[in-house]
């Protein structure tokens, strides 16, 4: 054991915060709450002063994760470099021995200082002086930490060092795509067609690796400042049976086929077990194709393009409440099929409207007969507005519209968007929730992947799923391309977040971005009317981001 690690262990033992026993192994590292949430071991909030400005912050606002990220690898924002703070970067000597393993390359790492010791790191955290005694920048807060909390935080920083990342070898990066048992088989085939071609292209036309650089001994990691080309391997995790068994299946898949991330994927009306698994396994899950995503503010590893039908529910609610309807809407009837995605959306809309004093009633379609749908529609008699959470087959079978209600709202995601088979007699009174950019505005961004499909002879059988799958693969490729050889799972997520803000090709979405705590990259949508001209959509109002 080297002197630095021995000193850290002695400090931990001396203040009695070491954990022993098998049961304690399930507890989080004692410094995790300080780093991630700004909470000291006593439960009191972390306190800090920003540089020489005397600006104070505490609690979550002062947490280290705000700048150094969950991975501990920091970030680069313009000319501002937030350096990595994992143990290997903090304590690595400036002039390493020739046989010492080089540090993995991170573009925002500082290479012009000596390695820290436990004492000089504690001084940096408390006083803002680096390992050479130089004053750190104003962005680095000065923290009021006692010895016990300081030791806990330093131990947590060391725990962020990751080796032997699952799914990463010297030659191959392994990825999974997860498909639930209730996923649409047509969409499944369409998604896999895109993914398999994308991975084949990636392996056939890779970016050539940079030549290795010989170490001069003057920097921390000149020996690793190149990216070794790795082949991409796709694993298809097909779940079967009821959702109660998916957790065990996912654990089995991950044990048999370790992967560094899950990309795209496809769900039916229940994605919760997959989302929960990815958070538990700390497995990045990038932009699955799901109509009912999981909304969980504290979760980190799963990112979605939008809130799907839940966003549509908010768009419809806002239009009902704020729309130019006279007299104002007092009652709403929703029609949906039991067990389909519309059931979850209907619950969200009902809560939203009832909180505004609007009565809401649901008509649930049971069975596949047209008579069941007709009976549900008759139940809307007397309501001021009708909301349809239906698939194209049901929409095509609507028949003649009832005399009332006057305004009808339809889910674009479920109903087929531009290809929605809405009878002409319904179009003048129907508004469609559309959580994408308008087709005439997104044409250039969408035509590129459509051309890519055409060249590779990929039939377009589920356009939205295929566009989102291509977009997810592209974001993954750009993210991995900027990671050099640092494949920490949390870093995968962080690089993907950064890629979104700078991406011009955003497919059917006008803009994609993820700020701190956000997991839905597109926030709004349109309410549109379907003209009598096939495929033409007319916006009822500007792009709206619901409150």
């Amino acid at each position: 054991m080297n002197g630095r690690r021995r000193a850290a262990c002695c400090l931990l033992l001396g203040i009695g915060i070491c954990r022993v026993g098998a049961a304690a192994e399930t507890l989080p590292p004692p410094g995790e709450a300080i780093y991630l949430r700004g909470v000291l071991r006593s439960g009191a909030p972390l306190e800090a002063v920003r540089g020489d400005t005397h600006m104070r912050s505490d609690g979550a606002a002062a947490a280290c994760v705000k700048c150094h990220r969950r991975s501990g690898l920091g970030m680069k924002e313009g000319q501002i470099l937030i350096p990595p703070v994992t143990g290997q970067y903090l304590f690595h000597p400036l002039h390493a021995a020739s046989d010492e393993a080089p540090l993995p390359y991170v573009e925002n790492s500082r290479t012009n200082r000596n390695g820290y010791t436990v004492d000089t790191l504690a001084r940096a955290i408390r006083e803002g002086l680096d390992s050479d005694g130089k004053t750190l920048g104003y962005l680095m807060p000065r923290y009021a930490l006692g010895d016990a909390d300081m030791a806990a935080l330093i131990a947590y920083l060391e725990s962020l060092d990751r080796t032997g990342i699952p799914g990463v070898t010297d030659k191959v990066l392994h990825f999974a795509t997860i498909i639930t048992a209730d996923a649409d088989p047509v969409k499944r085939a369409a998604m896999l067609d895109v993914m398999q071609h994308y991975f084949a292209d990636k392996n056939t036309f890779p970016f050539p690796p940079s030549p290795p650089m010989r170490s001069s001994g003057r920097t921390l990691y000149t020996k690793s400042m190149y990216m070794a080309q790795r082949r991409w391997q796709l694993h298809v995790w097909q779940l079967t049976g009821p959702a109660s068994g998916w957790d065990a299946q996912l654990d089995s898949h991950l044990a048999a086929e370790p992967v560094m991330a899950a990309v795209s994927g496809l769900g039916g009306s229940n994605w919760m077990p997959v989302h929960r698994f990815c958070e538990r396994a700390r497995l990045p899950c990038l932009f699955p194709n799901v109509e009912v995503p999981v909304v969980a503010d504290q979760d980190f590893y799963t990112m979605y393009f939008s809130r799907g039908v839940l966003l549509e529910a908010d768009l419809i609610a806002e239009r009902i409440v704020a729309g130019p309807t006279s007299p104002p809407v007092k009652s709403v009837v929703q029609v949906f099929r039991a067990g389909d995605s519309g059931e979850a959306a209907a619950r969200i809309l009902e809560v939203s409207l009832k909180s505004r004093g609007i009565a809401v009633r649901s008509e649930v379609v049971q069975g596949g007969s047209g008579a069941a749908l007709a009976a549900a529609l008759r139940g809307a008699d007397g309501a001021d507005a009708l909301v349809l959470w239906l698939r194209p087959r049901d929409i095509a079978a609507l028949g003649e519209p009832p005399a009332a209600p006057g305004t009808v709202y339809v889910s674009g995601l479920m109903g087929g968007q531009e290809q929605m088979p809405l009878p002409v007699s319904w179009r003048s009174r129907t508004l469609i929730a559309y959580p994408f950019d308008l087709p005439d505005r997104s044409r250039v961004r969408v035509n590129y992947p459509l051309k890519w499909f055409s060249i590779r002879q990929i039939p377009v059988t589920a356009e939205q799923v295929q566009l989102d799958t291509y977009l997810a693969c592209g974001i993954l490729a750009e993210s991995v391309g900027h990671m050099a050889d640092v494949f920490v799972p949390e870093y995968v997520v962080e690089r993907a977040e950064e890629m979104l803000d700078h991406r011009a090709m955003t497919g059917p979405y006008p803009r994609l971005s993820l700020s701190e705590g956000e997991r839905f990259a597109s926030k709004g949508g349109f309410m549109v009317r379907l003209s009598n001209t096939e495929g033409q959509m007319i916006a009822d109002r500007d792009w709206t981001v619901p409150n």
Side-chain angles (χ1 to χ4, degrees):
M1 180 182 297
N2 64 34
R4 184 259 298 179
R5 294 186 182 275
R6 183 167 56 250
C9 287
C10 291
L11 183 56
L12 292 173
L13 289 169
I15 59 179
I17 66 171
C18 282
R19 295 172 294 145
V20 296
E25 291 302 311
T26 61
L27 297 175
E32 183 178 289
I34 299 173
Y35 186 92
L36 294 180
R37 298 187 287 113
V39 177
L40 302 178
R41 294 171 65 250
S42 65
L46 176 67
E47 296 181 355
V49 176
R50 181 74 64 184
D52 296 327
T53 65
H54 304 293
M55 294 177 58
R56 296 185 175 274
S57 58
D58 58 28
C64 313
V65 71
K66 290 284 186 180
C67 293
H68 295 286
R69 312 303 301 275
R70 186 175 291 240
S71 66
L73 294 172
M75 60 181 172
K76 180 181 180 181
E77 187 67 36
Q79 298 300 311
I80 298 174
L81 301 181
I82 306 297
V85 291
T86 68
Q88 63 177 339
Y89 290 94
L90 290 171
F91 297 112
H92 198 281
L94 177 59
H95 301 290
S98 59
D99 60 346
E100 188 166 350
L103 286 176
Y105 175 68
V106 176
E107 64 178 346
N108 45 295
S109 183
R110 287 188 59 189
T111 63
N112 58 347
R113 59 155 179 80
N114 286 298
Y116 282 99
T117 65
V118 170
D119 290 337
T120 58
L121 180 57
R123 182 184 67 180
I125 294 171
R126 288 178 176 135
E127 303 174 29
L129 299 176
D130 73 5
S131 57
D132 297 323
K134 299 177 182 178
T135 301
L136 294 169
Y138 74 95
L139 290 176
M140 174 63 187
R142 282 55 165 160
Y143 291 98
L145 284 177
D147 288 344
D149 286 314
M150 181 64 72
L153 177 58
I154 292 175
Y156 181 71
L157 297 178
E158 290 204 275
S159 78
L160 293 175
D161 290 334
R162 303 284 296 275
T163 58
I165 303 298
V168 178
T169 72
D170 290 342
K171 296 183 179 180
V172 181
L173 298 179
H174 294 266
F175 302 97
T177 192
I178 303 172
I179 304 170
T180 62
D182 60 345
D184 184 318
V186 173
K187 293 179 180 178
R188 178 190 187 278
M191 180 196 74
L192 289 178
D193 205 0
V194 172
M195 294 197 76
Q196 288 161 353
H197 277 87
Y198 196 100
F199 274 57
D201 274 13
K202 186 72 176 64
N203 293 329
T204 303
F205 307 107
F207 293 109
S210 303
M213 298 177 64
R214 296 185 178 277
S215 175
S216 66
R218 292 192 295 271
T219 70
L220 291 178
Y221 42 62
T222 46
K223 286 184 290 185
S224 73
M225 289 177 65
Y226 69 97
M227 181 177 63
Q229 184 62 48
R230 291 172 169 87
R231 185 173 61 86
W232 283 23
Q233 177 67 49
L234 178 64
H235 302 271
V236 179
W237 293 357
Q238 175 65 64
L239 305 181
T240 60
S244 59
W246 294 352
D247 279 343
Q249 292 178 43
L250 288 164
D251 286 335
S252 178
H253 278 300
L254 185 59
E257 300 173 332
V259 297
M260 65 175 286
V263 60
S264 193
L266 183 67
S269 61
N270 183 12
W271 188 253
M272 175 64 81
V274 181
H275 179 106
R276 185 175 57 222
F277 162 78
C278 291
E279 295 300 316
R280 173 170 55 83
R282 300 187 177 187
L283 178 70
C285 183
L286 309 184
F287 308 108
N289 295 288
V290 288
E291 293 175 339
V292 189
V294 178
V295 180
D297 293 339
Q298 300 303 313
D299 288 348
F300 175 78
Y301 292 91
T302 304
M303 296 186 286
Y304 303 92
F305 283 126
S306 84
R307 287 189 296 119
V309 295
L310 308 182
L311 172 59
E312 289 187 331
D314 287 344
L315 289 168
I316 292 172
E318 189 149 308
R319 180 60 174 76
I320 288 175
V321 172
T325 304
S326 182
V329 173
K330 295 295 184 182
S331 62
V332 173
V333 170
Q334 302 190 85
V335 177
F336 57 86
R337 286 193 173 274
D340 204 350
S341 300
E343 190 169 0
R347 287 196 297 268
I348 295 293
L349 182 56
E350 180 176 353
V351 170
S352 179
L353 293 180
K354 283 186 173 180
S355 69
R356 294 169 166 89
I358 299 174
V360 181
R361 189 175 76 255
S362 294
E363 294 288 338
V364 183
V365 181
Q366 302 283 358
S369 70
L373 176 60
L377 292 173
R378 285 195 298 271
D381 289 346
D384 297 324
L386 171 64
V387 181
L388 303 178
W389 303 101
L390 299 175
R391 300 291 176 184
R393 183 184 65 176
D394 285 332
I395 292 174
L398 285 174
E400 288 301 311
T407 305
V408 180
Y409 300 90
V410 183
S411 164
L413 273 173
M414 296 181 63
Q417 302 168 59
E418 298 97 312
Q419 287 75 43
M420 181 181 295
L422 186 68
V424 173
S425 57
W426 286 72
R427 296 189 178 189
S428 62
R429 67 169 66 180
T430 300
L431 285 170
I432 301 169
Y434 193 74
F436 308 101
D437 205 356
L438 296 174
D440 60 335
R441 296 180 7 173
S442 64
R443 186 168 294 115
V444 171
R445 302 191 306 271
V446 167
N447 278 350
Y448 183 87
L450 290 177
K451 183 66 173 178
W452 187 88
F453 299 160
S454 176
I455 292 172
R456 286 150 186 82
Q457 299 182 345
I458 300 173
V460 180
T461 55
E463 183 175 297
Q464 187 56 54
V465 166
Q466 291 171 290
L467 290 174
D468 281 0
T469 299
Y470 180 86
L471 185 56
C473 289
I475 293 170
L476 174 66
E478 290 184 24
S479 302
V480 170
H482 282 78
M483 292 173 68
D485 55 353
V486 183
F487 298 111
V488 177
E490 292 77 13
Y491 199 41
V492 175
V493 176
E494 291 161 6
R495 293 306 304 184
E497 290 174 342
E498 292 181 31
M499 289 299 100
L500 288 180
D501 277 333
H502 306 291
R503 210 167 199 277
M505 298 302 291
T506 56
Y509 306 96
R511 184 172 183 269
L512 297 172
S513 66
L514 287 171
S515 300
E516 181 185 358
E518 294 180 342
R519 279 299 168 261
F520 301 98
S522 181
K523 315 300 192 294
F526 290 96
M527 296 300 298
V528 302
R529 297 185 187 277
L530 195 60
S531 74
N532 292 339
T533 303
E534 185 177 355
Q536 183 178 357
M537 286 188 157
I538 303 169
D540 179 64
R541 57 176 60 185
D542 290 337
W543 175 267
T544 299
V545 177
N547 294 324

